[in-house]
Amino acid sequence: DIQMTQSPSSLSASVGDRVTIACQASQDISIYLNWYQQKPGKAPKLLIYDASNLETGVPSRFSGSGSGTDFTFTIISLQPEDIATYYCQQYDNLPLTFGQGTRLEI
Amino acid sequence: QVQLVESGGGVVQPGRSLRLSCAASGFTFSSYGMDWVRQAPGRGLEWVAVIWYDGSKKYFSDSVKGRFSISRDNSRNTVYLQMNSLRAEDTAVYYCAREGVPGSRSWIQQWGQGTLVTVSS
């Protein structure tokens, strides 16, 4: 199975800050990496697919980059509504695997 | 718009069975792969199973292989997760999810609201 390692596991930032989350795969997954946002008590929501593609309707302050084994998720100007847990996930191979999550606080 | 509505969750004793259903609407159901993903209380996301758009292929996580099965009825726009020999560690919110590209494996694009399964005596 492909292991996905996210860092940090939690993060405290201020409104307007630039926030970066890293995700590392245990083997080359090309660009088959997605990012999800999950707010408490809610289902996850797709933000970024194929490493850098912004899902329709997602604000442009969210972005993703990377390929191979190393990926980055960025919020360029943190907003209060961005408080959530963020997960990376690979779909290069089954089983699909998720990172352990990054809890973002303000 | 796309809707995925799970049902069938509840409290069940260890060793018993439960079947979850996910009713889909707002898209051509028969064209998309469907997944189940679960989340234990206070924990992260764990993929459980996938079924191809035409039902031709099914895959499971090691943690449920041999105990869970997945099926779909494209005439009813519904996907099912049959869970047998349930264990305490299967306690979780179970999400039904749709993949993003018709006819092909891809990212998980849409999620249901989830249904809670509690395995307890």
Side-chain angles (χ1 to χ4, degrees):
Chain A
D1 298 2
I2 298 174
Q3 306 302 316
M4 306 301 296
T5 303
Q6 271 182 251
S7 60
S9 56
S10 65
L11 177 57
S12 182
S14 300
V15 172
D17 281 357
R18 180 186 183 97
V19 170
T20 298
I21 298 170
C23 180
Q24 185 171 60
S26 60
Q27 66 187 66
D28 188 334
I29 59 169
S30 185
I31 61 165
Y32 302 126
L33 188 284
N34 312 310
W35 291 96
Y36 299 89
Q37 175 193 66
Q38 187 179 32
K39 297 183 178 181
K42 300 295 187 183
K45 174 186 174 183
L46 176 67
L47 300 180
I48 302 286
Y49 64 93
D50 284 352
S52 61
N53 292 285
L54 194 67
E55 172 68 347
T56 301
V58 173
S60 58
R61 64 180 180 274
F62 297 101
S63 66
S65 64
S67 66
T69 60
D70 294 299
F71 302 85
T72 300
F73 172 80
T74 300
I75 308 172
I76 58 171
S77 179
L78 187 67
Q79 300 301 302
E81 61 266 32
D82 299 336
I83 297 312
T85 299
Y86 293 84
Y87 294 92
C88 63
Q89 176 247 328
Q90 68 79 24
Y91 72 98
D92 183 49
N93 279 353
L94 291 173
L96 304 184
T97 46
F98 292 85
Q100 79 276 19
T102 296
R103 190 172 190 175
L104 180 54
E105 301 170 338
I106 290 189
Chain B
Q1 74 278 22
V2 172
Q3 277 203 309
L4 301 170
V5 180
E6 301 96 335
S7 61
V11 180
V12 61
Q13 293 179 328
R16 304 296 292 262
S17 300
L18 205 60
R19 188 178 83 156
L20 305 182
S21 301
C22 171
S25 61
F27 64 100
T28 305
F29 179 74
S30 59
S31 295
Y32 289 85
M34 298 295 295
D35 296 78
W36 287 93
V37 177
R38 69 184 181 182
Q39 186 170 37
R43 304 297 297 273
L45 299 167
E46 179 190 13
W47 175 80
V48 174
V50 63
I51 184 167
W52 255 230
Y53 66 99
D54 57 359
S56 61
K57 296 183 181 180
K58 307 170 185 180
Y59 295 93
F60 300 90
S61 66
D62 285 347
S63 60
V64 307
K65 200 174 296 181
R67 300 187 300 121
F68 289 14
S69 62
I70 188 172
S71 61
R72 65 190 296 158
D73 185 339
N74 285 348
S75 67
R76 296 177 181 266
N77 290 353
T78 302
V79 61
Y80 304 97
L81 185 69
Q82 177 67 43
M83 304 185 294
N84 299 330
S85 303
L86 282 161
R87 306 167 179 167
E89 54 265 35
D90 295 319
T91 294
V93 173
Y94 284 74
Y95 294 102
C96 166
R98 192 206 80 178
E99 300 203 344
V101 177
S104 173
R105 268 195 57 235
S106 71
W107 54 90
I108 291 177
Q109 186 176 42
Q110 301 288 343
W111 299 71
Q113 84 287 352
T115 187
L116 177 62
V117 173
T118 302
V119 183
S120 173
S121 55

